[in-house]
Amino acid sequence: MDSQTSQASQASPSHTFQVDLRGLVDLLSHHLYSSPKVYLRELLQNAVDAVTARRAEQPGAPATVRLYTAGGTLRVEDSGVGLTETDVHDLLATIGRSSKRAEGIQEARSEFLGQFGIGLLACFVVAERIRVVSRSARTPDAAPVEWTASDDGSYTVRTLAPETRPEPGTTVHLTARAGAGEWLAPERVLALARDFGALLPYDVRVDGEAVTDLPAPWDRSYPSPAGRRVALARHCHDLFGFTPLDSIELNVPLAGVRGVAYVLPSAVSPAQRATHRVHLKGMLLTERAEQLLPDWAFFVRCVLDTDSLRPTASREALYEDETLAAVREALGERIRSWLTGLAAGDPERLAAFLSVHHLGVKSLARHDAEMLRTMLPWLPFETTDGQLSLEEFARRHPVVHFTRTVEEFRQVAPIASAQGIGVVNGGYTYDGDLVQALPSVRPGTVVAELDADTVTAHLDAVDPAEELALADFLAAARATLDPLDCDVVLRAFHPLTVPALHLDDRAARHEQARADAEAQADDLWAGILGSLRGTAPRARLVLNHLNPLIRRISSLRGPELIGTATESLYGQALLMAQRPLRPADSALLNRAFIGLLEWATNGEEGH
């Protein structure tokens, strides 16, 4: 039985995959490549790789790439290594095989850009017919060979007379497919060639016009630092469409990276993904690289050339690997060094930068103690003393109080300022974290979160005799707000214009949220939430005994009218603090408003 199985296995014929070229071209154009324009990049890559391969063996060989346009056709000539008839069958007819693997050139793999077969196949995105004429530099006696292919997957190969191509190299002829003629138009080819190939190391021309523009702007010599800044600013405007605040050199020789980062002149959201232009060995790989820099460096746009990063299959993005991670860290360090350099030697430019991009620097300083220490005198924070740096604020106040939300800061800032309490608004992005990190870079600094007890303790107590005389009023006021988990306290404080102050802290708000959930829950959940009841202090409404309105209200008689007045003060204090209103708070405001209208129209009862 085993013998029969073995014989049957040996008799099974082998088969070859049949490829639908039209379907493959559709796949390339709609899924692998972002635009038909990549066909020109593939042609340039093939030509540049061929020249590189020839010069590896013949250093003195010519290094030229010429493109010619005419009536819906494109001809690309290179002085590269060329192909024999065997190479044509092996490489052009076998999709995905790289010409760089052949004949002992694998050790020079890093010098090449792409794969010849798949690159030429991409030309079918815009062409209905491709004709390649090539002569090998490695086998000078071999006759030139012609390979002609159609988009239906058929191709022919024939040898030509030696005089048809006397010199080694390759010429690719494209004939546009229906509806794709614009991609082979002279102005489009020139624009694409300059976009993709401006930094290529060889002489590339389109209809006689130069494409390459070397050395790269960041590698050129300039008469002065100011002249360099002006030239790079012009380059940024031409490339990205904006004039930068500054430019940052990105030179990482160990990673094979050279380029420049341009600082955006206007603020952008930290959540917005920055996109950068990346050239691979001179060829533009992508203008939408997102993962090139650390997330905190969202305030710059980069253009650089590298020979170490790995492209994805479409060669339009970077492959996420250890090399890219190392390059990202190294480029982040260059930007960090630029910032520290500004802090040390150019405070005016640093101030101009921070006025636009302080969020990015705060994001970096949050995780980098050295950057926080460097930026302390410069980073702006909202405080009860106005816009100040943490360094200046800490010099003024022995204790640096901070709030965790913008609403808390707005609630207490006027009162705290009048009482001499220094408070930093920690509610903005990164600010709370930076304030809490302050002692780590400024030893001896005391940082404390501001809570209701701290504010209340700084308010002046009322004379006991006066407070005792108002005992009935305070009892009625406390009874009114007790269902809202809010106490009533009488104090004397400035400014006099503030009649009442609503104070709470995170613990009080947490307890209030738990109580609200308990009230709305079924019996089972109400029991569970009730068991979680905390001992945290409740919110409090601090009445200002110095305020004339409070003095008049405290003289009222009758629990109902006192209750209406108290609810009005509570609602007004909530609105002043810009605190989100719960349904119970909204109902209270409506009830108090109606109550005041009724009292105003019917007259005071019981007064």
Side-chain angles (χ1 to χ4, degrees):
M1 187 71 170
D2 290 341
S3 175
Q4 292 176 352
T5 302
S6 176
Q7 291 175 359
S9 176
Q10 292 175 358
S12 298
S14 62
H15 299 279
T16 302
F17 282 109
Q18 298 299 311
V19 177
D20 179 358
L21 187 57
R22 284 198 176 97
L24 187 57
V25 169
D26 181 72
L27 180 68
L28 290 173
S29 60
H30 290 98
H31 300 284
L32 183 62
Y33 296 125
S34 62
S35 165
K37 70 180 183 181
V38 298
Y39 88 91
L40 193 67
R41 183 194 64 196
E42 300 296 342
L43 285 174
L44 289 176
Q45 283 186 346
N46 285 338
V48 168
D49 285 346
V51 172
T52 301
R54 183 177 180 185
R55 300 200 84 178
E57 300 178 3
Q58 304 173 16
T64 61
V65 179
R66 298 288 184 264
L67 293 84
Y68 302 96
T69 61
T73 64
L74 174 64
R75 186 171 87 255
V76 182
E77 297 181 354
D78 68 65
S79 59
V81 68
L83 301 171
T84 64
E85 183 176 1
T86 301
D87 294 335
V88 167
H89 285 290
D90 286 346
L91 302 177
L92 294 180
T94 306
I95 296 172
R97 180 177 297 177
S98 172
S99 62
K100 277 70 71 176
R101 292 194 181 97
E103 302 188 26
I105 308 184
Q106 186 163 355
E107 63 273 11
R109 185 73 176 90
S110 65
E111 299 300 320
F112 300 100
L113 298 172
Q115 292 179 308
F116 191 86
I118 195 71
L120 196 60
L121 185 65
C123 294
F124 280 119
V125 172
V126 299
E128 66 176 6
R129 191 165 66 94
I130 301 174
R131 185 166 71 95
V132 178
V133 176
S134 186
R135 183 164 190 169
S136 175
R138 295 190 184 121
T139 312
D141 296 336
V145 61
E146 177 190 73
W147 177 87
T148 304
S150 299
D151 58 5
D152 61 2
S154 63
Y155 73 92
T156 61
V157 178
R158 65 188 181 113
T159 57
L160 304 176
E163 60 270 14
T164 59
R165 186 175 182 96
E167 297 296 328
T170 300
T171 302
V172 179
H173 302 260
L174 300 186
T175 302
R177 64 168 53 243
E182 61 174 303
W183 293 104
L184 274 60
E187 61 279 1
R188 177 64 67 90
V189 171
L190 179 60
L192 291 178
R194 284 177 172 166
D195 195 37
F196 285 122
L199 302 184
L200 288 174
Y202 305 131
D203 181 14
V204 181
R205 297 176 182 273
V206 175
D207 294 329
E209 293 194 46
V211 167
T212 51
D213 186 19
L214 295 176
W218 51 84
D219 285 330
R220 296 173 188 170
S221 297
Y222 297 93
S224 67
R228 180 180 185 83
R229 280 198 296 270
V230 169
L232 289 177
R234 187 183 305 113
H235 174 250
C236 176
H237 189 274
D238 293 341
L239 206 59
F240 294 116
F242 65 85
T243 301
L245 286 177
D246 205 351
S247 56
I248 308 169
E249 299 288 335
L250 300 179
N251 183 13
V252 188
L254 291 179
V257 173
R258 285 284 298 156
V260 62
Y262 294 115
V263 181
L264 292 168
S266 56
V268 294
S269 167
Q272 179 178 329
R273 299 292 294 180
T275 57
H276 312 285
R277 287 176 64 93
V278 178
H279 296 256
L280 180 61
K281 305 178 185 72
M283 181 72 70
L284 178 65
L285 180 72
T286 179
E287 50 193 352
R288 296 188 303 275
E290 293 185 349
Q291 69 273 48
L292 186 66
L293 295 180
D295 289 341
W296 55 261
F298 57 83
F299 50 84
V300 299
R301 295 291 179 270
C302 292
V303 54
L304 55 82
D305 188 26
T306 175
D307 59 16
S308 63
L309 298 180
R310 177 182 170 192
T312 59
S314 66
R315 297 198 288 279
E316 294 187 283
L318 297 171
Y319 189 83
E320 185 67 51
D321 57 12
E322 292 181 357
T323 302
L324 179 57
V327 167
R328 180 163 51 235
E329 182 177 351
L331 295 180
E333 181 58 38
R334 295 296 183 275
I335 298 174
R336 182 187 290 108
S337 297
W338 169 77
L339 284 170
T340 56
L342 286 187
D346 200 338
E348 289 186 3
R349 272 205 296 164
L350 178 63
F353 166 75
L354 289 178
S355 67
V356 178
H357 296 299
H358 57 275
L359 269 183
V361 180
K362 286 181 177 181
S363 173
L364 172 59
R366 188 173 48 138
H367 302 293
D368 189 320
E370 185 59 36
M371 180 57 63
L372 178 57
R373 185 179 294 107
T374 302
M375 292 291 113
L376 269 181
W378 308 102
L379 288 174
F381 289 80
E382 184 179 7
T383 76
T384 47
D385 294 352
Q387 286 283 334
L388 287 179
S389 70
L390 287 182
E391 177 72 26
E392 175 65 22
F393 190 79
R395 282 201 296 265
R396 297 185 183 186
H397 298 278
V399 178
V400 178
H401 290 97
F402 72 98
T403 62
R404 291 189 180 272
T405 68
V406 175
E407 290 78 11
E408 287 180 65
F409 180 80
R410 291 171 179 165
Q411 173 183 341
V412 302
I415 310 303
S417 180
Q419 307 307 314
I421 307 173
V423 185
V424 178
N425 185 352
Y428 293 117
T429 305
Y430 311 129
D431 285 10
D433 292 339
L434 291 176
V435 175
Q436 292 178 83
L438 190 55
S440 67
V441 297
R442 197 178 189 276
T445 303
V446 179
V447 173
E449 183 177 353
L450 187 69
D451 55 26
D453 288 335
T454 301
V455 178
T456 305
H458 280 77
L459 305 181
D460 294 334
V462 177
D463 182 85
E466 292 188 46
E467 187 166 359
L468 183 61
L470 299 176
D472 291 341
F473 165 76
L474 292 175
R478 286 167 181 149
T480 300
L481 297 186
D482 185 67
L484 298 173
D485 293 320
C486 183
D487 292 330
V488 177
V489 178
L490 187 65
R491 291 289 187 272
F493 57 87
H494 293 272
L496 301 179
T497 54
V498 177
L501 178 66
H502 180 271
L503 293 178
D504 62 2
D505 51 30
R506 284 190 301 160
R509 288 195 296 276
H510 177 75
E511 173 61 20
Q512 192 176 64
R514 186 210 59 77
D516 290 343
E518 180 183 355
Q520 299 174 16
D522 56 29
D523 292 341
L524 174 61
W525 281 108
I528 295 174
L529 291 169
S531 68
L532 299 176
R533 182 178 292 109
T535 58
R538 302 200 299 173
R540 65 198 68 176
L541 182 68
V542 183
L543 304 180
N544 187 0
H545 189 54
L546 301 180
N547 181 269
L549 177 61
I550 295 298
R551 287 183 173 274
R552 290 196 296 272
I553 291 176
S554 63
S555 66
L556 293 173
R557 298 293 181 266
E560 184 176 346
L561 186 55
I562 292 175
T564 299
T566 302
E567 289 179 337
S568 300
L569 290 170
Y570 174 82
Q572 187 266 350
L574 281 180
L575 294 175
M576 290 298 294
Q578 301 186 35
R579 179 77 65 197
L581 299 180
R582 301 173 298 164
D585 298 329
S586 299
L588 175 145
L589 282 171
N590 290 331
R591 186 170 61 249
F593 179 71
I594 296 300
L596 289 176
L597 285 179
E598 290 179 347
W599 176 79
T601 55
N602 297 329
E604 179 185 355
E605 297 179 2
H607 179 59

